């Protein structure tokens, strides 16, 4: 099962990240320097084992990060 994935500096977008709903075993996801934005937060919130997500220099807003941190206080969010 897929547990850790580094997609930083790739061309992944919100549309591409939507396919990760089918990977509930993900524990770490690195999305720094990607086009992923606030539209992907619902996907991240839905990953039950996600313990760390890197959103540094992505298109996610500070408001979006706050929402994710509130929804998933068990998940460390790097922004």
């Amino acid at each position: 099962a897929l547990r850790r994935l580094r997609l930083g500096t790739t061309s992944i977008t919100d549309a591409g990240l939507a396919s990760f709903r089918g990977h509930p075993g993900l524990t770490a996801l690195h999305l720094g320097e990607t086009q992923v934005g606030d539209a992907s937060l619902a996907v991240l919130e839905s990953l039950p084992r996600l313990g760390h997500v890197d959103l540094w220099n992505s298109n996610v807003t500070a408001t979006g990060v706050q929402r994710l941190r509130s929804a998933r206080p068990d998940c460390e969010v790097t922004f």
Side-chain angles (χ1 to χ4, degrees), residues 2-8 12 17 20 23 26-31:
L2 187 60
R3 292 185 1 184
R4 296 172 187 243
L5 190 57
R6 291 186 177 272
L7 294 170
I12 192 162
L17 195 64
F20 286 89
H23 295 283
L26 271 174
T27 61
L29 191 52
H30 297 270
L31 299 168

Short mmCIF file of all heavy atoms in Angstrom, two decimals, residues 2-8 12 17 20 23 26-31:
data_model
loop_
_atom_site.label_atom_id
_atom_site.label_comp_id
_atom_site.label_asym_id
_atom_site.label_seq_id
_atom_site.Cartn_x
_atom_site.Cartn_y
_atom_site.Cartn_z
N LEU A 2 0.44 2.24 -0.70
CA LEU A 2 1.14 3.51 -0.78
C LEU A 2 1.04 4.25 0.54
O LEU A 2 -0.05 4.46 1.06
CB LEU A 2 0.52 4.36 -1.90
CG LEU A 2 1.18 5.66 -2.28
CD1 LEU A 2 2.61 5.40 -2.75
CD2 LEU A 2 0.38 6.34 -3.37
N ARG A 3 2.20 4.59 1.15
CA ARG A 3 2.18 5.26 2.45
C ARG A 3 2.78 6.65 2.42
O ARG A 3 2.29 7.54 3.07
CB ARG A 3 2.92 4.40 3.48
CG ARG A 3 2.16 3.13 3.76
CD ARG A 3 2.73 2.29 4.84
NE ARG A 3 3.91 2.80 5.49
CZ ARG A 3 4.58 2.15 6.39
NH1 ARG A 3 4.20 0.96 6.76
NH2 ARG A 3 5.64 2.67 6.94
N ARG A 4 3.87 6.84 1.69
CA ARG A 4 4.53 8.14 1.61
C ARG A 4 4.75 8.49 0.15
O ARG A 4 5.14 7.65 -0.63
CB ARG A 4 5.89 8.11 2.32
CG ARG A 4 5.78 7.87 3.80
CD ARG A 4 7.17 7.66 4.39
NE ARG A 4 7.03 7.29 5.77
CZ ARG A 4 7.49 8.00 6.78
NH1 ARG A 4 8.13 9.13 6.56
NH2 ARG A 4 7.31 7.59 8.01
N LEU A 5 4.49 9.76 -0.15
CA LEU A 5 4.63 10.17 -1.53
C LEU A 5 5.17 11.59 -1.59
O LEU A 5 4.68 12.49 -0.91
CB LEU A 5 3.26 10.11 -2.22
CG LEU A 5 3.22 10.27 -3.72
CD1 LEU A 5 4.10 9.24 -4.43
CD2 LEU A 5 1.79 10.16 -4.22
N ARG A 6 6.20 11.77 -2.40
CA ARG A 6 6.82 13.08 -2.60
C ARG A 6 6.49 13.56 -4.01
O ARG A 6 6.98 13.01 -4.98
CB ARG A 6 8.33 13.00 -2.42
CG ARG A 6 8.75 12.72 -1.01
CD ARG A 6 10.27 12.79 -0.89
NE ARG A 6 10.66 12.59 0.48
CZ ARG A 6 10.77 13.54 1.39
NH1 ARG A 6 10.52 14.79 1.05
NH2 ARG A 6 11.14 13.27 2.61
N LEU A 7 5.65 14.58 -4.07
CA LEU A 7 5.26 15.15 -5.35
C LEU A 7 5.69 16.61 -5.49
O LEU A 7 5.26 17.30 -6.41
CB LEU A 7 3.74 15.05 -5.54
CG LEU A 7 3.20 13.62 -5.65
CD1 LEU A 7 1.68 13.61 -5.59
CD2 LEU A 7 3.69 12.98 -6.94
N GLY A 8 6.51 17.07 -4.57
CA GLY A 8 6.99 18.45 -4.61
C GLY A 8 7.69 18.74 -5.93
O GLY A 8 8.33 17.86 -6.51
N ILE A 12 1.57 18.45 -10.48
CA ILE A 12 0.28 17.99 -9.96
C ILE A 12 -0.63 19.17 -9.63
O ILE A 12 -0.16 20.21 -9.18
CB ILE A 12 0.44 17.06 -8.74
CG1 ILE A 12 -0.90 16.38 -8.44
CG2 ILE A 12 1.00 17.79 -7.54
CD1 ILE A 12 -0.79 15.15 -7.58
N LEU A 17 -4.75 15.50 -7.75
CA LEU A 17 -4.76 15.05 -6.35
C LEU A 17 -6.07 14.37 -5.98
O LEU A 17 -6.11 13.55 -5.08
CB LEU A 17 -4.48 16.22 -5.42
CG LEU A 17 -4.11 15.83 -3.99
CD1 LEU A 17 -2.81 15.05 -3.95
CD2 LEU A 17 -4.02 17.04 -3.11
N PHE A 20 -6.26 10.66 -5.21
CA PHE A 20 -5.66 10.10 -4.00
C PHE A 20 -6.69 9.73 -2.93
O PHE A 20 -6.33 9.15 -1.92
CB PHE A 20 -4.60 11.04 -3.44
CG PHE A 20 -3.36 11.01 -4.27
CD1 PHE A 20 -3.21 11.87 -5.34
CD2 PHE A 20 -2.36 10.09 -4.00
CE1 PHE A 20 -2.09 11.82 -6.13
CE2 PHE A 20 -1.23 10.04 -4.80
CZ PHE A 20 -1.10 10.90 -5.87
N HIS A 23 -6.51 6.18 -1.64
CA HIS A 23 -5.30 5.71 -0.95
C HIS A 23 -5.36 6.08 0.53
O HIS A 23 -4.59 6.93 0.99
CB HIS A 23 -4.05 6.32 -1.60
CG HIS A 23 -3.84 5.87 -3.01
ND1 HIS A 23 -3.34 4.64 -3.33
CD2 HIS A 23 -4.13 6.49 -4.19
CE1 HIS A 23 -3.30 4.51 -4.65
NE2 HIS A 23 -3.78 5.62 -5.19
N LEU A 26 -2.15 6.51 3.05
CA LEU A 26 -1.12 7.54 2.97
C LEU A 26 -0.87 8.16 4.34
O LEU A 26 -1.80 8.60 5.01
CB LEU A 26 -1.53 8.65 2.01
CG LEU A 26 -1.15 8.47 0.55
CD1 LEU A 26 -1.76 9.57 -0.30
CD2 LEU A 26 0.34 8.44 0.37
N THR A 27 0.39 8.19 4.77
CA THR A 27 0.75 8.80 6.04
C THR A 27 1.49 10.11 5.86
O THR A 27 1.50 10.95 6.76
CB THR A 27 1.62 7.85 6.89
OG1 THR A 27 2.82 7.56 6.17
CG2 THR A 27 0.88 6.56 7.21
N ALA A 28 2.14 10.30 4.71
CA ALA A 28 2.89 11.53 4.45
C ALA A 28 2.77 11.89 2.97
O ALA A 28 2.91 11.03 2.11
CB ALA A 28 4.36 11.36 4.83
N LEU A 29 2.52 13.16 2.74
CA LEU A 29 2.35 13.64 1.38
C LEU A 29 3.07 14.98 1.24
O LEU A 29 2.81 15.91 2.00
CB LEU A 29 0.86 13.80 1.07
CG LEU A 29 0.41 14.05 -0.34
CD1 LEU A 29 0.98 13.02 -1.32
CD2 LEU A 29 -1.11 14.03 -0.41
N HIS A 30 3.99 15.06 0.30
CA HIS A 30 4.78 16.27 0.08
C HIS A 30 4.32 16.94 -1.21
O HIS A 30 4.49 16.38 -2.29
CB HIS A 30 6.27 15.92 0.04
CG HIS A 30 6.75 15.35 1.33
ND1 HIS A 30 7.25 16.13 2.34
CD2 HIS A 30 6.75 14.09 1.78
CE1 HIS A 30 7.55 15.36 3.36
NE2 HIS A 30 7.26 14.11 3.05
N LEU A 31 3.72 18.11 -1.06
CA LEU A 31 3.15 18.83 -2.19
C LEU A 31 3.72 20.24 -2.33
O LEU A 31 3.12 21.10 -2.96
CB LEU A 31 1.62 18.92 -2.02
CG LEU A 31 0.89 17.58 -1.97
CD1 LEU A 31 -0.54 17.77 -1.50
CD2 LEU A 31 0.93 16.92 -3.34
#
